[in-house]
Amino acid sequence: MNGLSEITLRITGDRNIAEEWELVLISEGLSPSVHPKDEGFALRVPAVEREKAEAVLSVYESENLRQPAEKDQSAGVGHKLTALSVAAALLLFFFITTVRHPEAPWVQRGSADAERIFLGELWRAVTALTLHSDLSHALSNSIAIALFLGAVAAPLGSGLACALVLLAGAGGNLLTALLYGPIHVSIGASTSVFAAVGLLGALGVTRRQQRGDRGHRVWVPIAASLALLAML
């Protein structure tokens, strides 16, 4: 089938939408194709399939109405608020444990003390994430969490993003305890920050694969994440 027998049915600036249209038409036995254009991505079909393709897409779009842009923006604001809330909670807990009650044994009871973890106090891998040694330590981690957790929450949702960052941070503390041995003690949310950066890299690779990228271009987000981790 040559290009002259095809017509442009739709044009969109979003490649994902164009590919979605393409899949819908393919599922109905049609022969669409997506072509990049200066103004976006064009969905093309054979001229003889135009009428059926229009009908299929009309039915599909009526059954799968897209959320208004305002709702998408509201979701983005919600993700940012979640990240800011977690960052604020870290700072608040720092002031409670270090400024208001410096005499209380918070670090002794909650640090990622490898020896105590080996004795079964696995919860220390989580509680250590909430403890910080001084204001600069707490502030730097809070800022990083506000930035990276919000970025992870955008594609995954706030609940899943928070759960993954928390679990990965705790896992990082457990792994560190195993690697450094029983004399190692650590506190701080840095492992969760690193986890968020790693998740961003993984999401970037997945997004590029879904977009159809091949070769070394797929792994650029991982390289960027490693560079960012080195800087942090």
Side-chain angles (χ1 to χ4, degrees), residues 14 42-43 52 72 77 105-106 114 133 141 148-149 157 187 190 195 199 202 207 212 220:
D14 191 326
L43 176 72
K52 183 177 180 180
D72 292 338
V77 171
W106 295 98
S133 58
N141 276 338
F148 299 128
L149 179 58
I187 57 174
S190 298
L199 284 169
R207 192 178 300 114
V220 169

PDB file of all heavy atoms in Angstrom, residues 14 42-43 52 72 77 105-106 114 133 141 148-149 157 187 190 195 199 202 207 212 220:
ATOM      1  N   ASP A  14       0.545  14.931  20.974  1.00  0.00           N
ATOM      2  CA  ASP A  14       0.910  13.889  21.945  1.00  0.00           C
ATOM      3  C   ASP A  14       1.061  12.555  21.240  1.00  0.00           C
ATOM      4  O   ASP A  14       0.098  11.985  20.712  1.00  0.00           O
ATOM      5  CB  ASP A  14      -0.166  13.796  23.028  1.00  0.00           C
ATOM      6  CG  ASP A  14       0.260  12.926  24.200  1.00  0.00           C
ATOM      7  OD1 ASP A  14       0.985  11.937  23.972  1.00  0.00           O
ATOM      8  OD2 ASP A  14      -0.154  13.214  25.336  1.00  0.00           O
ATOM      9  N   ALA A  42       0.660  12.495  13.033  1.00  0.00           N
ATOM     10  CA  ALA A  42      -0.517  12.321  12.183  1.00  0.00           C
ATOM     11  C   ALA A  42      -0.929  10.855  12.149  1.00  0.00           C
ATOM     12  O   ALA A  42      -0.101   9.967  11.961  1.00  0.00           O
ATOM     13  CB  ALA A  42      -0.224  12.809  10.766  1.00  0.00           C
ATOM     14  N   LEU A  43      -2.209  10.612  12.356  1.00  0.00           N
ATOM     15  CA  LEU A  43      -2.775   9.274  12.213  1.00  0.00           C
ATOM     16  C   LEU A  43      -3.323   9.163  10.800  1.00  0.00           C
ATOM     17  O   LEU A  43      -4.205   9.937  10.404  1.00  0.00           O
ATOM     18  CB  LEU A  43      -3.898   9.063  13.229  1.00  0.00           C
ATOM     19  CG  LEU A  43      -4.636   7.729  13.122  1.00  0.00           C
ATOM     20  CD1 LEU A  43      -3.749   6.588  13.600  1.00  0.00           C
ATOM     21  CD2 LEU A  43      -5.934   7.761  13.925  1.00  0.00           C
ATOM     22  N   LYS A  52     -15.099   4.111   8.219  1.00  0.00           N
ATOM     23  CA  LYS A  52     -15.148   3.177   9.358  1.00  0.00           C
ATOM     24  C   LYS A  52     -14.227   3.647  10.480  1.00  0.00           C
ATOM     25  O   LYS A  52     -14.580   3.566  11.667  1.00  0.00           O
ATOM     26  CB  LYS A  52     -14.763   1.770   8.924  1.00  0.00           C
ATOM     27  CG  LYS A  52     -14.866   0.751  10.058  1.00  0.00           C
ATOM     28  CD  LYS A  52     -14.546  -0.660   9.606  1.00  0.00           C
ATOM     29  CE  LYS A  52     -14.657  -1.633  10.789  1.00  0.00           C
ATOM     30  NZ  LYS A  52     -14.346  -3.033  10.382  1.00  0.00           N
ATOM     31  N   ASP A  72      -6.175  17.412  35.383  1.00  0.00           N
ATOM     32  CA  ASP A  72      -4.783  16.975  35.316  1.00  0.00           C
ATOM     33  C   ASP A  72      -3.899  17.922  36.120  1.00  0.00           C
ATOM     34  O   ASP A  72      -2.985  17.493  36.822  1.00  0.00           O
ATOM     35  CB  ASP A  72      -4.311  16.944  33.853  1.00  0.00           C
ATOM     36  CG  ASP A  72      -5.016  15.845  33.055  1.00  0.00           C
ATOM     37  OD1 ASP A  72      -5.503  14.890  33.686  1.00  0.00           O
ATOM     38  OD2 ASP A  72      -5.072  15.967  31.824  1.00  0.00           O
ATOM     39  N   VAL A  77      -0.849  19.331  41.184  1.00  0.00           N
ATOM     40  CA  VAL A  77      -0.736  20.116  42.409  1.00  0.00           C
ATOM     41  C   VAL A  77      -0.824  19.200  43.628  1.00  0.00           C
ATOM     42  O   VAL A  77      -0.100  19.369  44.616  1.00  0.00           O
ATOM     43  CB  VAL A  77      -1.838  21.195  42.458  1.00  0.00           C
ATOM     44  CG1 VAL A  77      -1.862  21.866  43.825  1.00  0.00           C
ATOM     45  CG2 VAL A  77      -1.615  22.230  41.367  1.00  0.00           C
ATOM     46  N   PRO A 105      16.265   9.902  74.042  1.00  0.00           N
ATOM     47  CA  PRO A 105      17.169   9.021  73.292  1.00  0.00           C
ATOM     48  C   PRO A 105      16.608   8.602  71.924  1.00  0.00           C
ATOM     49  O   PRO A 105      16.522   7.418  71.598  1.00  0.00           O
ATOM     50  CB  PRO A 105      17.295   7.813  74.224  1.00  0.00           C
ATOM     51  CG  PRO A 105      15.975   7.739  74.916  1.00  0.00           C
ATOM     52  CD  PRO A 105      15.548   9.173  75.109  1.00  0.00           C
ATOM     53  N   TRP A 106      16.211   9.606  71.117  1.00  0.00           N
ATOM     54  CA  TRP A 106      15.611   9.284  69.826  1.00  0.00           C
ATOM     55  C   TRP A 106      16.571   8.506  68.929  1.00  0.00           C
ATOM     56  O   TRP A 106      16.201   7.490  68.348  1.00  0.00           O
ATOM     57  CB  TRP A 106      15.196  10.578  69.125  1.00  0.00           C
ATOM     58  CG  TRP A 106      14.119  11.343  69.814  1.00  0.00           C
ATOM     59  CD1 TRP A 106      14.291  12.412  70.640  1.00  0.00           C
ATOM     60  CD2 TRP A 106      12.717  11.116  69.755  1.00  0.00           C
ATOM     61  NE1 TRP A 106      13.083  12.866  71.097  1.00  0.00           N
ATOM     62  CE2 TRP A 106      12.087  12.094  70.568  1.00  0.00           C
ATOM     63  CE3 TRP A 106      11.914  10.191  69.095  1.00  0.00           C
ATOM     64  CZ2 TRP A 106      10.716  12.169  70.728  1.00  0.00           C
ATOM     65  CZ3 TRP A 106      10.540  10.264  69.249  1.00  0.00           C
ATOM     66  CH2 TRP A 106       9.959  11.234  70.060  1.00  0.00           C
ATOM     67  N   ALA A 114      23.298  -1.274  62.874  1.00  0.00           N
ATOM     68  CA  ALA A 114      23.385  -2.571  62.220  1.00  0.00           C
ATOM     69  C   ALA A 114      23.364  -3.729  63.216  1.00  0.00           C
ATOM     70  O   ALA A 114      22.730  -4.761  62.979  1.00  0.00           O
ATOM     71  CB  ALA A 114      24.646  -2.640  61.356  1.00  0.00           C
ATOM     72  N   SER A 133      20.750  14.611  62.118  1.00  0.00           N
ATOM     73  CA  SER A 133      21.739  15.033  63.112  1.00  0.00           C
ATOM     74  C   SER A 133      21.716  16.527  63.391  1.00  0.00           C
ATOM     75  O   SER A 133      21.963  16.961  64.510  1.00  0.00           O
ATOM     76  CB  SER A 133      23.139  14.622  62.646  1.00  0.00           C
ATOM     77  OG  SER A 133      23.425  15.188  61.375  1.00  0.00           O
ATOM     78  N   ASN A 141      17.768  17.096  53.110  1.00  0.00           N
ATOM     79  CA  ASN A 141      16.954  15.932  52.760  1.00  0.00           C
ATOM     80  C   ASN A 141      15.504  16.310  52.494  1.00  0.00           C
ATOM     81  O   ASN A 141      14.850  15.731  51.620  1.00  0.00           O
ATOM     82  CB  ASN A 141      17.017  14.882  53.876  1.00  0.00           C
ATOM     83  CG  ASN A 141      18.246  13.993  53.758  1.00  0.00           C
ATOM     84  OD1 ASN A 141      18.829  13.862  52.696  1.00  0.00           O
ATOM     85  ND2 ASN A 141      18.646  13.395  54.865  1.00  0.00           N
ATOM     86  N   PHE A 148      12.108  15.324  44.428  1.00  0.00           N
ATOM     87  CA  PHE A 148      12.122  14.030  43.753  1.00  0.00           C
ATOM     88  C   PHE A 148      10.871  13.194  44.020  1.00  0.00           C
ATOM     89  O   PHE A 148      10.401  12.481  43.129  1.00  0.00           O
ATOM     90  CB  PHE A 148      13.383  13.252  44.142  1.00  0.00           C
ATOM     91  CG  PHE A 148      14.658  13.949  43.755  1.00  0.00           C
ATOM     92  CD1 PHE A 148      15.670  14.176  44.670  1.00  0.00           C
ATOM     93  CD2 PHE A 148      14.842  14.405  42.462  1.00  0.00           C
ATOM     94  CE1 PHE A 148      16.834  14.839  44.313  1.00  0.00           C
ATOM     95  CE2 PHE A 148      16.001  15.068  42.086  1.00  0.00           C
ATOM     96  CZ  PHE A 148      17.001  15.279  43.013  1.00  0.00           C
ATOM     97  N   LEU A 149      10.322  13.272  45.231  1.00  0.00           N
ATOM     98  CA  LEU A 149       9.096  12.526  45.504  1.00  0.00           C
ATOM     99  C   LEU A 149       7.950  13.065  44.655  1.00  0.00           C
ATOM    100  O   LEU A 149       7.139  12.290  44.135  1.00  0.00           O
ATOM    101  CB  LEU A 149       8.748  12.596  46.988  1.00  0.00           C
ATOM    102  CG  LEU A 149       7.460  11.879  47.410  1.00  0.00           C
ATOM    103  CD1 LEU A 149       7.510  10.403  47.043  1.00  0.00           C
ATOM    104  CD2 LEU A 149       7.214  12.035  48.902  1.00  0.00           C
ATOM    105  N   GLY A 157       1.336   8.278  41.021  1.00  0.00           N
ATOM    106  CA  GLY A 157       0.346   8.599  42.036  1.00  0.00           C
ATOM    107  C   GLY A 157       1.016   8.761  43.382  1.00  0.00           C
ATOM    108  O   GLY A 157       2.041   8.129  43.657  1.00  0.00           O
ATOM    109  N   ILE A 187      21.618   7.511  60.300  1.00  0.00           N
ATOM    110  CA  ILE A 187      20.316   8.151  60.394  1.00  0.00           C
ATOM    111  C   ILE A 187      20.149   9.048  59.170  1.00  0.00           C
ATOM    112  O   ILE A 187      21.125   9.373  58.491  1.00  0.00           O
ATOM    113  CB  ILE A 187      20.163   8.996  61.679  1.00  0.00           C
ATOM    114  CG1 ILE A 187      21.264  10.060  61.757  1.00  0.00           C
ATOM    115  CG2 ILE A 187      20.142   8.121  62.907  1.00  0.00           C
ATOM    116  CD1 ILE A 187      21.087  11.032  62.920  1.00  0.00           C
ATOM    117  N   SER A 190      18.402  10.102  53.492  1.00  0.00           N
ATOM    118  CA  SER A 190      19.167  10.109  52.247  1.00  0.00           C
ATOM    119  C   SER A 190      18.893   8.881  51.384  1.00  0.00           C
ATOM    120  O   SER A 190      18.807   8.984  50.155  1.00  0.00           O
ATOM    121  CB  SER A 190      20.667  10.191  52.549  1.00  0.00           C
ATOM    122  OG  SER A 190      20.981  11.386  53.219  1.00  0.00           O
ATOM    123  N   ALA A 195      16.559   6.544  46.533  1.00  0.00           N
ATOM    124  CA  ALA A 195      15.550   5.648  45.975  1.00  0.00           C
ATOM    125  C   ALA A 195      14.656   6.390  44.987  1.00  0.00           C
ATOM    126  O   ALA A 195      14.323   5.869  43.908  1.00  0.00           O
ATOM    127  CB  ALA A 195      14.709   5.043  47.100  1.00  0.00           C
ATOM    128  N   LEU A 199      14.127   5.564  41.062  1.00  0.00           N
ATOM    129  CA  LEU A 199      12.806   5.332  40.477  1.00  0.00           C
ATOM    130  C   LEU A 199      12.573   6.233  39.270  1.00  0.00           C
ATOM    131  O   LEU A 199      11.988   5.803  38.265  1.00  0.00           O
ATOM    132  CB  LEU A 199      11.728   5.584  41.525  1.00  0.00           C
ATOM    133  CG  LEU A 199      11.544   4.494  42.581  1.00  0.00           C
ATOM    134  CD1 LEU A 199      10.634   4.990  43.698  1.00  0.00           C
ATOM    135  CD2 LEU A 199      10.950   3.244  41.949  1.00  0.00           C
ATOM    136  N   ALA A 202      14.339   4.650  36.354  1.00  0.00           N
ATOM    137  CA  ALA A 202      13.617   3.478  35.866  1.00  0.00           C
ATOM    138  C   ALA A 202      12.358   3.876  35.093  1.00  0.00           C
ATOM    139  O   ALA A 202      12.047   3.303  34.040  1.00  0.00           O
ATOM    140  CB  ALA A 202      13.259   2.565  37.035  1.00  0.00           C
ATOM    141  N   ARG A 207       9.380   4.744  29.994  1.00  0.00           N
ATOM    142  CA  ARG A 207       8.688   5.691  29.121  1.00  0.00           C
ATOM    143  C   ARG A 207       9.296   5.690  27.725  1.00  0.00           C
ATOM    144  O   ARG A 207       8.584   5.709  26.713  1.00  0.00           O
ATOM    145  CB  ARG A 207       8.756   7.089  29.731  1.00  0.00           C
ATOM    146  CG  ARG A 207       7.838   8.105  29.075  1.00  0.00           C
ATOM    147  CD  ARG A 207       7.921   9.453  29.764  1.00  0.00           C
ATOM    148  NE  ARG A 207       7.550   9.354  31.162  1.00  0.00           N
ATOM    149  CZ  ARG A 207       8.390   9.560  32.170  1.00  0.00           C
ATOM    150  NH1 ARG A 207       9.655   9.849  31.942  1.00  0.00           N
ATOM    151  NH2 ARG A 207       7.980   9.476  33.414  1.00  0.00           N
ATOM    152  N   GLY A 212       8.996   3.745  21.912  1.00  0.00           N
ATOM    153  CA  GLY A 212       9.610   3.105  20.754  1.00  0.00           C
ATOM    154  C   GLY A 212      11.074   3.414  20.562  1.00  0.00           C
ATOM    155  O   GLY A 212      11.654   3.047  19.536  1.00  0.00           O
ATOM    156  N   VAL A 220      19.519   6.541  28.584  1.00  0.00           N
ATOM    157  CA  VAL A 220      19.935   7.887  28.983  1.00  0.00           C
ATOM    158  C   VAL A 220      19.404   8.268  30.369  1.00  0.00           C
ATOM    159  O   VAL A 220      20.145   8.850  31.183  1.00  0.00           O
ATOM    160  CB  VAL A 220      19.503   8.921  27.920  1.00  0.00           C
ATOM    161  CG1 VAL A 220      19.692  10.348  28.440  1.00  0.00           C
ATOM    162  CG2 VAL A 220      20.315   8.734  26.645  1.00  0.00           C
TER     163      VAL A 220
END
